[in-house]
């Protein structure tokens, strides 16, 4: 079992006291048979440090049963045996609650190269969990954009060359770069609370380290734009350039972020036989300037288990830094069809966008608790702090008492584009080196000390946060189409990109009363009151 597909409840039981219910999402509710059901061994009551823990399965049972039924139907339309096996492992996972079965399905998914229709589902991302452990359900269906995918595949083919440009020694890079499938997809449906611009999955780090992963760029998410409006915190000239080039710049950033950000770096690990996957005396420590490292992941430790709630923002920061660090390389720009002034403008907009995102990210900081509520936003704020710390007039943030266009307090962010390849590359490269070294060694103490210091929001930034909140724009919503089958033909219905279109699409998709959802809501209602 694992934490990703569970919920934890504390209930008061007469004669026992507090009991912690660990509920595993699964279609089955029974105790199972230990012989062919690995989850069953963990079910029942356990006592740990005088606390009673009751492990149960069958959370979301009726919904999981519906998922399994649909996946059984999907098997009839699989295009190869690999897809059949993948779906069978998903069904096993969703029926029993077994995380290892989902991992096996993910292994099959990795090996399913270049399908015409791409899909992935399960309890995937843990961003919404304050501890970064429990995951939210998501699933998507998309079709491949072949023209854009050719550019991403060219990036894959040049990956080994680009990885040598990273600021860490070769010992900190994977022994062999496992070339992933990297495709640009146009979404048909994405079921989750938010839609990303790109994905690097599966999130099982042991699979990513030794077996590979897939990179996905969601093209029609990248290209979707709200109506043109003034860009906050930038000069008028920078805002106009941002409006024109942000989509193209972000396309490059997503490619580098997913492939060479999340896809790079080696974890120093103690193997099952007690041996290390490195020679600790020979590996250099570039931070201390001496040979030899004294830290690594012990048997049973993983990136997520060791770094816990730091893992998500730290890893997103490492990937975002990789994107802006490598986008200045000419070969990267050429892969995406840009050269000369065109390429230089895109580099500028990408760095400018990252710095601006750090200011926007302040919306997701809670001063009362001193905590960040969103991993990507914390990561971008940290990068802004690193840029500001570099000095030399590289990035400046200025409070404006009365803005010319509306007379209200504002923020002006400027970035010296001539210093991107000097001051910018140096400060991000040095920071990226530390991020990777601490991650490779599993040095959570040094990583936390460094990352937490940049995550702090001092008094001057709190003032800017208030302005950022006043200038906050409504979050854009993506209006998704609906598909259905009529007389054996798949039909597609699209909706207007407006609030009315969003409502219409939801009514069209979920028009009937769902008694299963209502029953689930009512059963959990007693936990809704704070």
């Amino acid at each position: 079992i694992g934490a990703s597909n569970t919920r934890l409840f504390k209930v008061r039981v007469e004669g026992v006291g507090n009991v912690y219910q660990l509920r595993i999402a699964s279609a089955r509710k029974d105790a199972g048979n230990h012989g062919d059901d690995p989850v069953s061994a963990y079910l029942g009551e356990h006592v740990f440090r005088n606390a009673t823990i009751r492990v149960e399965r069958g959370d979301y049972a009726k919904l999981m049963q519906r998922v399994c039924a649909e996946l059984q139907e999907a098997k009839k339309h699989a295009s190869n045996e690999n897809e059949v096996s993948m779906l069978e492992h998903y069904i096993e996972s969703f029926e029993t609650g077994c995380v290892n079965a989902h991992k096996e399905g993910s292994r099959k998914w990795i090996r399913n190269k270049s399908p015409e229709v791409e899909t992935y589902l399960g309890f995937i991302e843990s961003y919404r969990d304050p501890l970064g452990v429990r995951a939210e359900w998501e699933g998507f269906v998309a079709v491949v954009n072949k023209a854009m995918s050719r550019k991403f595949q060219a990036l894959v083919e040049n990956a080994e060359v680009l990885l040598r440009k990273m600021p860490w020694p070769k010992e900190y890079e994977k022994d062999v770069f496992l070339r992933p499938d990297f495709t640009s997809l146009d979404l048909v449906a994405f079921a989750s609370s938010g839609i990303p611009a790109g994905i690097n999955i599966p999130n099982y780090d042991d699979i990513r380290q030794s077996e590979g992963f897939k990179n996905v760029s969601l093209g029609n998410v990248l290209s979707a734009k709200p109506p043109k409006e003034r860009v906050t915190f930038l000069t008028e000239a920078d805002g106009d350039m941002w409006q024109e080039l942000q989509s193209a710049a972000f396309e490059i950033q997503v490619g580098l972020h997913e492939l060479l950000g999340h896809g790079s770096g080696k974890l120093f690990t103690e193997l099952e036989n007690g041996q290390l996957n490195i020679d600790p005396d020979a590996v250099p420590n570039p931070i201390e300037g001496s040979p030899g490292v004294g830290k690594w992941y012990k048997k049973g430790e993983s990136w997520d288990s060791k770094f816990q709630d730091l893992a998500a923002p730290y890893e997103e920061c490492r990937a975002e830094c990789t994107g802006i660090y490598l986008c200045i390389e000419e070969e990267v720009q050429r892969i995406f069809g840009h050269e000369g002034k065109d390429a230089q403008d895109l580099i500028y907009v990408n760095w400018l966008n990252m710095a601006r995102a750090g200011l926007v990210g302040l919306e997701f900081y809670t001063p009362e608790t001193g905590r960040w509520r969103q991993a990507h936003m914390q990561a971008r704020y940290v990068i802004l702090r690193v840029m500001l710390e570099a000095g030399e007039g590289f990035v400046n943030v200025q409070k404006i008492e009365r803005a010319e266009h509306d007379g209200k307090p504002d923020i002006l962010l400027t970035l010296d584009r001539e210093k991107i390849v000097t001051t910018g590359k140096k400060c991000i490269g040095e920071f990226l080196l530390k991020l990777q070294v601490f991650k490779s060694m599993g040095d959570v103490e040094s990583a936390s000390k460094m990352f937490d210091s940049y995550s702090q929001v001092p008094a001057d930034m709190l003032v800017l946060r208030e302005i950022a909140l006043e200038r906050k724009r409504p979050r854009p919503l993506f209006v998704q189409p609906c598909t259905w089958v009529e007389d054996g033909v798949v039909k597609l219905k699209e909706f207007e990109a407006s609030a009315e279109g969003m409502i219409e699409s939801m009514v069209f998709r979920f028009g009937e009363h769902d008694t299963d959802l209502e029953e689930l809501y009512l059963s959990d209602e007693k936990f809704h009151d704070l």
Side-chain angles (χ1 to χ4, degrees):
I1 64 174
S4 60
N5 62 342
T6 67
R7 295 193 294 166
L8 185 65
F9 296 82
K10 184 171 76 172
V11 295
R12 190 78 180 170
V13 177
E14 190 79 31
V16 179
N18 288 332
V19 173
Y20 295 90
Q21 291 181 343
L22 185 67
R23 301 182 185 176
I24 301 171
S26 67
R28 287 172 56 177
K29 296 183 176 183
D30 62 282
N33 184 318
H34 289 206
D36 60 357
D37 181 3
V39 174
S40 63
Y42 299 93
L43 301 177
E45 288 198 355
H46 308 265
V47 177
F48 178 73
R49 294 181 182 174
N50 298 320
T52 300
I53 303 168
R54 184 176 295 158
V55 182
E56 307 171 351
R57 68 175 164 193
D59 202 17
Y60 299 113
K62 289 188 176 180
L63 299 184
M64 300 304 285
Q65 290 163 11
R66 287 157 61 173
V67 170
C68 292
E70 295 294 338
L71 291 178
Q72 289 287 2
E73 287 297 309
K75 283 171 56 179
K76 300 174 183 177
H77 305 279
S79 58
N80 54 61
E81 288 302 314
N82 198 65
E83 288 185 357
V84 172
S85 180
M86 173 186 76
L87 293 170
E88 286 174 345
H89 281 104
Y90 288 163
I91 292 168
E92 179 188 353
S93 176
F94 302 149
E95 281 186 343
T96 66
C98 179
V99 171
N100 282 342
H102 191 268
K103 291 177 74 171
E104 286 302 316
S106 297
R107 287 186 169 97
K108 299 292 184 181
W109 181 71
I110 293 169
R111 296 167 193 157
N112 192 35
K113 301 290 186 181
S114 304
E116 295 287 331
V117 176
E118 188 63 277
T119 181
Y120 191 65
L121 77 167
F123 295 90
I124 312 300
E125 302 293 354
S126 60
Y127 299 125
R128 299 183 73 192
D129 179 16
L131 292 179
V133 174
R134 288 180 171 80
E136 180 181 7
W137 175 270
E138 73 175 46
F140 71 82
V141 177
V143 293
V144 174
N145 181 325
K146 293 183 178 180
M148 192 64 220
S149 293
R150 282 193 287 270
K151 296 181 182 179
F152 286 126
Q153 279 304 126
L155 192 64
V156 172
E157 290 164 8
N158 285 273
E160 288 92 341
V161 174
L162 294 171
L163 283 172
R164 290 197 286 270
K165 297 179 182 293
M166 292 296 232
W168 50 77
K170 62 181 181 3
E171 291 84 356
Y172 288 78
E173 193 47 68
K174 294 173 183 173
D175 299 330
V176 177
F177 180 75
L178 301 168
R179 291 191 174 191
D181 206 20
F182 198 169
T183 51
S184 176
L185 304 178
D186 287 331
L187 280 179
V188 177
F190 198 107
S192 194
S193 63
I195 303 177
I199 316 170
N200 176 285
I201 39 182
N203 284 339
Y204 304 114
D205 212 58
D206 54 339
I207 295 178
R208 286 152 67 120
Q209 284 283 316
S210 59
E211 299 178 54
F213 50 89
K214 279 188 181 183
N215 282 292
V216 169
S217 173
L218 303 178
N220 56 346
V221 175
L222 288 169
S223 61
K225 289 183 179 180
K228 186 172 181 179
E229 53 189 10
R230 193 176 191 280
V231 182
T232 54
F233 314 141
L234 301 182
T235 65
E236 186 174 349
D238 279 348
D240 290 344
M241 184 180 288
W242 187 95
Q243 289 274 17
E244 180 185 354
L245 301 178
Q246 190 265 343
S247 291
F250 197 46
E251 186 175 78
I252 298 170
Q253 176 70 12
V254 168
L256 295 170
H257 173 117
E258 301 296 345
L259 177 68
L260 301 176
H262 292 315
S264 65
K266 181 176 183 175
L267 301 185
F268 301 162
T269 306
E270 182 182 3
L271 306 175
E272 285 300 317
N273 61 7
Q275 299 293 312
L276 298 179
N277 66 346
I278 57 163
D279 179 350
D281 297 322
V283 173
N285 187 328
I287 295 176
E288 296 182 0
S290 60
V293 295
K295 295 185 178 181
W296 48 81
Y297 294 83
K298 304 292 193 294
K299 273 192 291 187
E301 292 181 336
S302 67
W303 160 248
D304 284 321
S305 71
K306 196 154 191 181
F307 280 69
Q308 296 187 15
D309 57 335
L310 180 62
Y314 191 97
E315 177 61 11
E316 293 305 330
C317 190
R318 196 178 70 91
E320 291 285 47
C321 284
T322 298
I324 58 174
Y325 186 78
L326 289 179
C327 80
I328 64 178
E329 300 294 334
E330 290 183 2
E331 51 262 61
V332 169
Q333 294 292 330
R334 277 199 297 269
I335 286 170
F336 287 89
H338 309 296
E339 293 186 273
K341 185 178 182 303
D342 174 34
Q344 293 305 310
D345 286 346
L346 283 168
I347 292 168
Y348 175 59
V349 168
N350 197 32
W351 280 71
L352 185 68
N353 186 53
M354 187 61 66
R356 176 181 175 273
L359 286 176
V360 175
L362 284 166
E363 299 171 9
F364 294 83
Y365 176 74
T366 305
E368 292 79 8
T369 61
R371 294 185 66 88
W372 288 85
R373 305 189 306 278
Q374 215 283 341
H376 295 80
M377 295 303 185
Q378 181 180 356
R380 292 159 186 162
Y381 172 79
V382 165
I383 294 171
L384 172 62
R385 291 287 304 277
V386 171
M387 290 181 181
L388 289 169
E389 183 184 68
E392 300 180 16
F394 176 48
V395 172
N396 285 294
V397 175
Q398 179 185 357
K399 178 187 175 184
I400 306 297
E401 296 295 340
R402 291 175 58 85
E404 289 184 6
H405 65 283
D406 65 3
K408 298 178 180 178
D410 205 349
I411 305 169
L412 178 63
L413 181 143
T414 55
L415 185 148
D416 188 338
R417 64 186 293 166
E418 302 301 323
K419 294 179 179 176
I420 289 175
V421 296
T422 53
T423 307
K425 183 179 180 180
K426 181 175 183 293
C427 74
I428 294 300
E430 290 174 351
F431 181 58
L432 188 51
L433 171 65
K434 294 176 184 177
L435 288 171
Q436 182 57 52
V437 169
F438 296 150
K439 180 181 180 181
S440 288
M441 295 194 299
D443 187 355
V444 68
E445 295 82 10
S446 298
S448 297
K449 182 178 179 181
M450 177 188 72
F451 202 77
D452 289 349
S453 70
Y454 285 114
S455 298
Q456 296 296 315
V457 181
D460 59 333
M461 282 293 182
L462 285 175
V463 172
L464 299 184
R465 175 182 176 273
E466 292 303 314
I467 298 174
L469 287 172
E470 287 294 322
R471 297 281 180 184
K472 181 179 179 180
R473 299 268 172 78
R475 187 174 182 177
L477 298 175
F478 293 92
V479 182
Q480 301 189 47
C482 290
T483 58
W484 73 100
V485 178
E486 187 177 294
D487 298 328
V489 178
V490 177
K491 299 291 186 72
L492 175 75
K493 181 175 176 61
E494 296 183 280
F495 304 90
E496 181 182 287
S498 64
E500 292 81 1
M502 170 65 77
I503 295 169
E504 186 183 352
S505 72
M506 298 296 283
V507 170
F508 189 89
R509 188 186 297 270
F510 304 111
E512 297 180 2
H513 179 67
D514 194 319
T515 55
D516 290 342
L517 281 178
E518 182 181 34
E519 181 182 316
L520 179 63
Y521 169 80
L522 292 174
S523 68
D524 285 349
E525 192 173 19
K526 58 181 176 291
F527 298 107
H528 295 169
D529 294 331
L530 298 178

